[in-house]
Amino acid sequence: MLHARAVHHGDDILAQGIPTSPAAGLFHLQTAAVLRHVRAAVLCAQLYGGIRPTKAAFRALIAAQPNRFEPCNEAAARYLEIAAQQGVVGAMTSLAMRFAEGDGVMKSVSEACCWYQEAVNVLGRGNNQALEAAEFDAEALPNSLSDVGEIREVLGGLESGAMCKGMSVESVGSLDLEATSAEDAQD
């Protein structure tokens, strides 16, 4: 993220003996995301999802290499999953919609239900101060929801369409994901 700030400010040198490099900045951003840095994962999901980052430093980094991040639904979904696993509600709901529609992932309504239910559970536990910055970034993600009522409404729509195979909102959170994925593959 230091490379992003340096590129944004037009600095030639990041630190003594280290030149500023947009390519290095993007490499480090992706590496941080893969290593489960939550904010880096959200930013990579935005970039691969074709969403312009909200922070000027990251916009400058991307502008320096405009062809580096072509929209890729599969890559966006992978980074969303990293952020969702770290507890970012906006990433959970965006990933849930991707599962419901088969956008960048194998379509699995039961997996979508699980992610929506997990988002409700996380919101029920209260605000996590450590994830505030990532949640702010996640608001720009498509289908990002942060209101329990909105999430329950979407989850209820999936259930009423018999897409969750008769599961109730309460039972969705206790699913065995591997067994559910195997069931979906057979359908």
Side-chain angles (χ1 to χ4, degrees):
M1 297 197 189
L2 294 174
H3 284 280
R5 287 189 197 118
V7 169
H8 175 64
H9 292 295
D11 299 336
D12 294 328
I13 298 175
L14 182 64
Q16 186 174 1
I18 303 174
T20 299
S21 165
L26 293 173
F27 168 79
H28 290 295
L29 178 67
Q30 289 177 293
T31 301
V34 169
L35 294 174
R36 303 212 171 287
H37 183 280
V38 68
R39 196 154 186 210
V42 171
L43 287 168
C44 285
Q46 286 179 338
L47 294 172
Y48 280 111
I51 299 168
R52 186 176 174 197
T54 54
K55 294 190 99 19
F58 291 105
R59 287 195 308 267
L61 193 63
I62 300 311
Q65 291 192 314
N67 297 324
R68 179 72 185 262
F69 282 98
E70 293 295 320
C72 175
N73 290 332
E74 292 81 11
R78 281 193 306 270
Y79 288 114
L80 280 174
E81 187 169 14
I82 291 169
Q85 289 171 344
Q86 301 296 316
V88 178
V89 173
M92 290 176 191
T93 59
S94 187
L95 182 62
M97 184 55 72
R98 284 181 177 273
F99 274 111
E101 297 176 353
D103 185 13
V105 294
M106 188 171 172
K107 185 173 181 172
S108 172
V109 177
S110 56
E111 190 84 15
C113 290
C114 288
W115 280 115
Y116 279 127
Q117 183 60 45
E118 183 60 21
V120 169
N121 294 343
V122 168
L123 287 171
R125 289 191 293 265
N127 189 14
N128 183 341
Q129 298 273 336
L131 296 177
E132 263 184 39
E135 287 291 359
F136 176 77
D137 291 336
E139 288 176 6
L141 294 168
N143 304 304
S144 174
L145 303 173
S146 59
D147 178 71
V148 173
E150 289 177 337
I151 296 170
R152 285 187 190 270
E153 185 177 320
V154 172
L155 185 55
L158 289 173
E159 290 173 339
S160 68
M163 298 173 89
C164 288
K165 300 179 182 171
M167 296 178 287
S168 67
V169 172
E170 292 75 26
S171 69
V172 172
S174 62
L175 290 175
D176 177 2
L177 294 180
E178 291 177 21
T180 305
S181 295
E183 289 172 11
D184 286 343
Q186 292 174 357
D187 291 343

